[in-house]
Structures are given as structure tokens and as C-alpha cells.
């Protein structure tokens, strides 16, 4: 990240874009869900199994939030049985390089969590 002081501004001022990104991606499960969907489309039950510890109501809320901001698309599969599949949109996929860089940094600089991190 390049620090760009604004003319007449405080060089130590908070970067509004970074603050917004971390407020959204730092919300429990949002970034992890995006990273999980990097492996391709997944159904609700598959995502629930992939993220031990997330409740179904929180998973539903987070997927809805990610869809509302255009990072994830929701597709209803005709049945029987009916199903719903989630996948990254182009906007969501554009975050993957940043998520990969954060994951690499965490592996190199943070102690491993005994539970594996999810």
C-alpha cells in the first residue's frame, strides 16, 4: 500500500478505503466465505460443512450481505430437489489476490491457531 498524503491533509489520517474494506471483510466470516468460494461454486450445506462453527442463520446472513454488495451470486437450481448455489462474481473474484496476500502474510507472520483457524 502506498501512503499518499493529501494536500493540506494529515499524513497520519486514516485511509477511508482501508477502513471500509476491513470493516466489511473483517466482519466475522465474510472474508473466510469469499476465500472458501474461491474454490468454486458451493451449496449452502457444503459451505456450512466447510466452516465449522458458523451457525446456519449467520451463514445465511453473511451470504445475503455478500450478494447485496455484488461479491457473490446466488443461483437457484431446479429440482427435485431444489437447491441454491453460491459463487463469486467478477467483483468478488477481484478480491482473491488481496485475500491470497493476506493469507500468505498470516502464514509467515502469525502463530498458527490450534484449531486450524476456521
Amino acid at each position: 500500500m502506498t501512503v499518499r498524503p493529501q494536500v493540506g491533509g494529515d499524513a497520519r489520517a486514516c485511509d477511508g478505503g482501508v477502513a471500509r474494506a476491513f470493516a466489511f471483510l473483517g466482519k466475522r466470516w465474510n472474508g473466510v466465505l469469499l476465500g472458501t468460494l474461491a474454490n468454486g461454486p458451493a451449496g449452502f450445506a457444503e459451505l456450512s460443512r466447510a466452516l465449522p462453527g458458523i451457525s446456519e442463520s449467520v451463514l445465511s446472513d453473511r451470504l445475503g450481505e455478500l450478494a447485496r454488495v455484488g461479491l457473490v451470486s446466488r443461483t437457484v437450481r431446479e429440482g427435485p430437489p431444489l437447491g441454491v448455489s453460491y459463487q463469486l462474481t467478477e467483483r468478488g473474484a477481484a478480491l482473491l489476490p488481496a485475500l491470497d496476500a493476506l493469507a500468505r502474510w498470516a502464514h509467515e507472520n502469525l502463530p498458527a491457531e490450534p484449531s486450524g483457524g476456521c
Side-chain angles (χ1 to χ4, degrees):
M1 178 175 86
T2 304
V3 177
R4 288 172 245 134
Q6 297 175 345
V7 175
D10 183 358
R12 298 254 183 217
C14 172
D15 182 313
V18 170
R20 282 194 334 271
F22 274 97
F24 184 78
L25 294 174
K27 192 172 194 178
R28 180 127 191 197
W29 301 111
N30 278 356
V32 176
L33 272 166
L34 292 170
T36 302
L37 288 170
N39 298 316
F44 188 90
E46 187 178 2
L47 289 169
S48 184
R49 284 190 303 272
L51 302 169
I54 191 170
S55 70
E56 288 187 359
S57 63
V58 171
L59 177 58
S60 179
D61 288 347
R62 295 301 181 264
L63 287 168
E65 184 175 28
L66 292 168
R68 276 190 301 281
V69 298
L71 300 178
V72 169
S73 66
R74 179 183 186 270
T75 305
V76 177
R77 294 185 312 257
E78 297 299 323
L82 282 173
V84 177
S85 179
Y86 298 90
Q87 69 183 42
L88 293 177
T89 62
E90 190 174 314
R91 288 176 63 190
L95 275 169
L96 294 180
L99 292 175
D100 287 341
L102 282 170
R104 250 190 331 277
W105 178 86
H107 287 294
E108 294 169 2
N109 295 286
L110 297 175
E113 292 186 18
S115 66
C118 285

